[in-house]
Amino acid sequence: MRFNTAITGTFYLLVLFLMTACIDSEYVNTQSSRETTSSAIETDSQQVIESQPVSAEDSVSTPGEEPAPPEEEPAPPEEEPVLPFFITGAGLKGPMAFANVALYALDTNAPGYYNAQAPIAQGNTDAYGVIEGLAVPGNVTLPLVMIIDGQDIADPDTNTTAVFNKLVTLITTDILTSKRPVYATPLTTLAFYMAQLQVGVAAPASVVEDAVAIASRQVSSTVGFGMSSAVDILTTPPIINEYTVSVADQQRVAEHRAAIEALSAILHQMSFPVGDGLVGEYFDSMDLTQLALTRTDTHVDFDWRKGTPDPALPIDEFSTRWNGFVQQVGCVQTENTC
């Protein structure tokens, strides 16, 4: 026998009501239909209780009890962006001003995992490194590789070429459908290259996505400089934006940006050529006159006492001037200061 689900549910609710409200009832008459159900009960006192139509969605409570709250409706699924969809975000560090921005299809058979000759979308960054005019076309397969290329630009503040002249990040389906800004940083770049070394060539896109996620966690734990595990270098913004409204959000932003700055400072220092010492000028006088000799001193840590720096100089009757740049041991150099 086939029963209508809504009517069957209504019947069980009605029986529960009658059992709790009128235990010593002498007469129960139940009539069910597809739309309504009513019952009349005649007790010893000839009192008639009429039951209103009950649906499977209605709540039933016993006398003296609060009615059950209505069930919450499930949240509607998040809408996917309508393509073409404009990507916002930035390149840090920093900032990558007036740089070229391009999207590429992930190609694990190509060098760098993308075909540099076949971008599927192009844009640029403004004076603050903010991405402009980068639209995802409607016929692409995710994930995408985003490249911010600043090889031909100089830092607007120092007029020097940036140490990081190319930043990379991977845009997955989850990142794109979040409709939030995308940031390419030295940390995302490092994670992307680590994933390439781990996966190799001709790997499926899903394997690459998993490898990038794993590499991101490894980067965070090794060069995150104490960054919280709640920070995801692929999705947590490194700058305050409209989505970082809570104190916890802004704390993660601060930790993320601090890690980027620390790593950038270390790599910036490593980019400097190692010097071979200071140029020492030695004078046959006490007032830096009568130049006697010039030489390069790899270490300036002398104890001549009653001696002389060179046989060409008299004892205790000479002066010396060194020229060059020095760096404190253990100092992380940034631009012109430690």
Side-chain angles (χ1 to χ4, degrees), residues 14 25 73 125 182-183 226:
L14 182 59
S25 301
E73 296 184 0
T125 62
V182 180
Y183 299 93

Side-chain angles (χ1 to χ4, degrees), residues 81-87 102-105 118-122 133-142 144 176:
V82 177
L83 300 178
F85 174 74
F86 282 89
I87 289 180
L103 294 176
Y104 299 90
I120 62 175
Q122 291 179 291
L134 187 64
V136 181
N139 58 343
V140 297
T141 301
L142 298 173
L144 300 173
L176 187 64

Side-chain angles (χ1 to χ4, degrees), residues 206-221:
S206 59
V207 174
V208 176
E209 288 190 34
D210 291 342
V212 170
I214 294 172
S216 297
R217 292 191 291 271
Q218 292 173 336
V219 168
S220 297
S221 63

Side-chain angles (χ1 to χ4, degrees), residues 282-287 289-293 312-314 317-319:
Y282 293 84
F283 300 88
D284 189 6
S285 67
M286 298 290 291
D287 57 0
T289 60
Q290 303 179 35
L291 179 65
L293 66 96
L313 296 172
E317 294 291 334
F318 63 89
S319 57

Side-chain angles (χ1 to χ4, degrees), residues 38-338:
S38 63
S39 65
I41 304 173
E42 184 177 358
T43 64
D44 293 339
S45 60
Q46 303 299 317
Q47 182 180 7
V48 177
I49 301 176
E50 295 184 356
S51 176
Q52 297 298 323
V54 181
S55 64
E57 291 80 9
D58 291 336
S59 61
V60 178
S61 61
T62 59
E65 293 185 0
E66 293 291 334
E71 295 184 1
E72 295 183 2
E73 296 184 0
E78 184 176 4
E79 295 182 2
E80 294 192 3
V82 177
L83 300 178
F85 174 74
F86 282 89
I87 289 180
T88 60
L92 298 170
K93 159 108 169 53
M96 286 286 261
F98 307 114
N100 298 317
V101 186
L103 294 176
Y104 299 90
L106 179 68
D107 183 357
T108 55
N109 290 305
Y113 277 10
Y114 66 94
N115 183 354
Q117 305 303 317
I120 62 175
Q122 291 179 291
N124 60 273
T125 62
D126 64 12
Y128 301 98
V130 177
I131 298 172
E132 297 180 324
L134 187 64
V136 181
N139 58 343
V140 297
T141 301
L142 298 173
L144 300 173
V145 179
M146 185 175 79
I147 305 291
I148 300 182
D149 189 349
Q151 295 188 75
D152 300 325
I153 63 172
D155 187 285
D157 297 324
T158 63
N159 199 34
T160 57
T161 303
V163 174
F164 304 102
N165 51 33
K166 182 180 290 187
L167 300 175
V168 188
T169 193
L170 190 70
I171 300 178
T172 64
T173 301
D174 290 341
I175 292 175
L176 187 64
T177 55
S178 72
K179 304 180 185 178
R180 298 196 173 192
V182 180
Y183 299 93
T185 71
L187 299 180
T188 64
T189 304
L190 180 58
F192 185 77
Y193 290 145
M194 287 174 59
Q196 288 185 49
L197 294 175
Q198 180 67 30
V199 173
V201 298
S206 59
V207 174
V208 176
E209 288 190 34
D210 291 342
V212 170
I214 294 172
S216 297
R217 292 191 291 271
Q218 292 173 336
V219 168
S220 297
S221 63
T222 53
V223 291
F225 302 94
M227 186 167 58
S228 167
S229 60
V231 176
D232 185 337
I233 64 174
L234 297 174
T235 58
T236 301
I239 58 176
I240 299 294
N241 61 24
E242 65 270 29
Y243 298 101
T244 54
V245 295
S246 70
V247 174
D249 290 338
Q250 295 172 9
Q251 175 65 28
R252 287 190 285 269
V253 169
E255 293 179 7
H256 192 182
R257 186 59 182 266
I260 292 173
E261 294 293 335
L263 177 63
S264 300
I266 292 173
L267 296 181
H268 183 55
Q269 179 191 16
M270 292 172 62
S271 69
F272 292 143
V274 178
D276 54 2
L278 300 178
V279 176
E281 296 175 318
Y282 293 84
F283 300 88
D284 189 6
S285 67
M286 298 290 291
D287 57 0
L288 298 176
T289 60
Q290 303 179 35
L291 179 65
L293 66 96
T294 300
R295 72 184 187 190
T296 299
D297 293 323
T298 57
H299 293 82
V300 181
D301 185 15
F302 301 110
D303 184 9
W304 289 309
R305 299 201 178 193
K306 294 183 179 182
T308 176
D310 189 90
L313 296 172
I315 298 175
D316 295 335
E317 294 291 334
F318 63 89
S319 57
T320 306
R321 177 171 61 202
W322 286 278
N323 294 296
F325 296 93
V326 295
Q327 180 176 333
Q328 178 182 346
V329 176
C331 171
V332 176
Q333 184 168 345
T334 58
E335 297 181 356
N336 297 321
T337 61
C338 279

